């Protein structure tokens, strides 16, 4: 599936996926989610692609879910929405190729979660990490699960319950970001990092990545299952409508 809101480019073995919804700070629509999943799956069968970079149209990265998507959630469709997002994160986790996130702005909600599913996160000083789902009336389930795979409970609570925004240096110091580089070289540096990772034997890389994924797979699957019931309850309670109606 192709979508004008997900731009694809290739250079020296690296496929770059650029989220392109600048009017909404690159927030995700359903078609964008499907396009990213399709691009990742296609990359695994393209012999010319050795690594992937995920980026956003400057000056953003990904502001989470497009509000039109959230406003359209009902008790009848929220389960499919949760499963669709679970499939998005799973596509990153299951991709046998190196995947690097190039974060040049806000990585919020689903944007942060995609980045945390990548193998490496390189950012500019403008990067901001936040998990503000409860402010939109959503239960914050998958976000804390993925954050908790990288940091402890205290930081997870700051992000998921206090909805704190972490600046780039703080996020790097907490090991949620791997490297900070100037904005003008963010994408080239991310592509270079992806190429460097791709110099490893592809079978050895894939087997090692699969093993690391297995360590967190039970928690990941449990988060999807809990998200199905929690988001249905949030929608039924009117929490999302109340939060977005006042925004």
């Amino acid at each position: 599936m192709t979508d004008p809101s997900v731009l694809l480019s290739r250079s020296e073995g690296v496929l770059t996926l650029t989220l392109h919804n600048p009017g909404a700070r690159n927030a995700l629509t359903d078609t964008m989610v499907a396009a990213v999943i399709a691009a990742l799956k296609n990359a695994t069968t393209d012999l010319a692609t050795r690594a992937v970079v995920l980026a956003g149209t400057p000056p953003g990265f990904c502001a989470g879910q497009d509000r039109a998507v959230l406003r359209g959630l009902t008790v009848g469709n929220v389960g499919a929405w949760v499963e669709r997002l679970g499939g998005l994160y799973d596509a990153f986790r299951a991709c046998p190729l190196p995947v690097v996130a190039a974060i040049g702005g806000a990585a919020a909600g689903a944007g942060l979660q995609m980045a945390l599913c990548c193998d490496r996160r390189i950012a500019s000083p403008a990067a901001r990490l936040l998990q503000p789902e409860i402010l939109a009336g959503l239960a914050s389930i998958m976000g804390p699960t993925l954050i908790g795979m990288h940091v402890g409970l205290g930081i997870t609570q700051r992000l998921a319950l206090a909805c704190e925004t972490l600046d780039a240096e703080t996020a790097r110091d907490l090991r949620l970001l791997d490297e900070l580089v100037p904005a003008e070289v963010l994408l080239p540096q991310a592509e270079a990092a992806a190429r460097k990772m791709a110099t490893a034997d592809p079978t050895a890389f894939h087997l090692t990545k699969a093993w690391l994924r297995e360590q967190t797979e039970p928690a990941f699957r449990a988060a999807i299952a809990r998200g199905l019931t929690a988001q249905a309850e949030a929608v039924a309670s009117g929490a999302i409508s109340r939060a977005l109606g006042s925004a």
Side-chain angles (χ1 to χ4, degrees):
M1 176 180 295
T2 60
D3 186 273
S5 294
V6 179
L7 308 178
L8 307 182
S9 62
R10 291 174 176 82
S11 175
E12 299 178 41
V14 176
L15 171 66
T16 298
L17 311 179
T18 302
L19 305 173
H20 182 66
N21 186 10
R25 295 175 296 158
N26 302 323
L28 295 173
T29 64
D30 289 345
T31 54
M32 288 172 71
V33 170
V36 171
I37 292 173
L40 287 170
K41 289 183 177 178
N42 290 339
T44 66
T45 60
D46 179 8
L47 297 180
T49 300
R50 304 194 312 274
V52 177
V53 167
L54 176 68
T57 295
F61 177 68
C62 178
Q65 286 288 297
D66 192 291
R67 292 204 164 205
V69 174
L70 298 182
R71 289 192 172 96
L73 292 178
T74 67
V75 173
N77 66 22
V78 69
W81 174 73
V82 171
E83 290 180 339
R84 192 156 49 243
L85 284 180
L88 173 67
Y89 307 139
D90 193 41
F92 283 97
R93 286 166 54 85
C95 182
L97 305 174
V99 185
V100 176
I103 305 172
L112 173 58
Q113 292 162 46
M114 280 192 297
L116 291 174
C117 289
C118 294
D119 304 313
R120 188 168 175 80
R121 286 159 294 282
I122 299 177
S124 77
R128 298 290 182 270
L129 272 54
L130 58 159
Q131 181 63 28
E133 290 179 331
I134 62 174
L135 300 181
L138 293 165
S140 195
I141 305 294
M142 182 58 78
T145 300
L146 294 171
I147 294 166
M149 294 175 185
H150 297 269
V151 298
L153 179 62
I155 302 303
T156 302
Q157 289 175 321
R158 284 168 57 184
L159 285 161
L161 297 180
C163 298
E164 182 176 339
T165 297
L166 302 181
D167 61 39
E169 289 190 359
T170 301
R172 180 196 56 193
D173 292 345
L174 293 173
R175 306 296 176 87
L176 288 170
L177 296 175
D178 296 300
E179 184 179 355
L180 294 184
V181 300
E184 61 270 20
V185 297
L186 173 60
L187 194 54
Q189 290 284 85
E191 291 173 344
R195 287 190 192 96
K196 183 176 181 180
M197 293 178 74
T199 60
D201 178 85
T203 300
F205 183 92
H206 168 54
L207 291 172
T208 303
K209 182 173 177 176
W211 169 245
L212 292 172
R213 177 194 181 202
E214 288 173 21
Q215 308 313 301
T216 58
E217 191 69 2
F220 178 76
R221 294 298 161 190
I224 294 176
R226 185 66 182 94
L228 288 169
T229 58
Q231 302 302 5
E233 185 174 345
V235 171
S237 74
I240 297 173
S241 297
R242 289 193 298 273
L244 297 183
S246 61

